[in-house]
Amino acid sequence: MLQFLKGSWKYGELEAAKRFSDLMEIHALGKGFTWKSENIEEDIELARNAWDFAKQVIFSEKFKMVVLDELTYLITYAMVPEEDILDCLKNRPSAVHIVVTGRDASPGLIELADLVTEMNDLKHPFHSGVKAQRGIEF
């Protein structure tokens, strides 16, 4: 799993992944919430370096599945050219499955994908004042 926006915080998926450490790797490649950035140029450089690393992982064929967590934001915020991402995904090795996460996938990404799902928040405890809970949200 390659996490494009998550930084050095402790995330729930990192704790869960420890149980599968012999089967998977997680790489946090960003520094956090980019939309709150004080240095967007640095964030763009991080995103491009992360994308270069992702391409190396995909074409290494070391993994049968690569999760590109929050990849949609690299397109949304024009941090990496969409054409570069789509070209890589189109030409990936056939044995490598790709999972892309993130909101507001671009029309090009949706068209290329074999499966697209969308999760909508119809009701959430947060809206009633319940803060994020250890073991659930983090």
Side-chain angles (χ1 to χ4, degrees):
M1 176 184 294
L2 307 175
Q3 299 177 308
F4 289 98
L5 296 185
K6 293 186 176 156
S8 59
W9 299 353
K10 285 190 175 183
Y11 293 97
E13 56 261 44
L14 296 177
E15 292 301 312
K18 287 179 183 176
R19 294 178 175 237
F20 303 102
S21 61
D22 60 326
L23 298 173
M24 68 181 294
E25 294 177 14
I26 296 182
H27 299 273
L29 304 170
K31 66 174 191 175
F33 300 109
T34 302
W35 52 90
K36 295 181 179 180
S37 178
E38 293 179 15
N39 188 344
I40 194 67
E41 293 304 318
E42 178 185 5
D43 291 338
I44 290 170
E45 183 177 347
L46 279 172
R48 290 183 178 167
N49 290 339
W51 178 243
D52 287 341
F53 179 72
K55 289 188 289 187
Q56 291 174 19
V57 169
I58 291 166
F59 286 98
S60 75
E61 299 186 62
K62 179 179 177 184
F63 301 98
K64 293 180 182 177
M65 179 179 291
V66 178
V67 178
L68 303 173
D69 186 38
E70 310 290 7
L71 177 72
T72 59
Y73 295 109
L74 273 60
I75 296 171
T76 300
Y77 294 125
M79 300 175 106
V80 174
E82 180 178 21
E83 303 80 39
D84 187 20
I85 292 172
L86 296 179
D87 184 57
C88 173
L89 298 179
K90 283 179 198 172
N91 296 301
R92 74 186 187 282
S94 61
V96 177
H97 297 274
I98 304 290
V99 176
V100 173
T101 72
R103 296 184 181 170
D104 303 317
S106 69
L109 192 56
I110 291 170
E111 183 178 331
L112 178 63
D114 294 322
L115 171 67
V116 177
T117 61
E118 186 173 325
M119 181 181 281
N120 292 310
D121 177 10
L122 300 178
K123 183 177 181 182
H124 194 285
F126 178 78
H127 300 300
S128 299
V130 177
K131 296 193 187 285
Q133 302 169 71
R134 182 185 271 325
I136 306 296
E137 286 89 5
F138 69 94

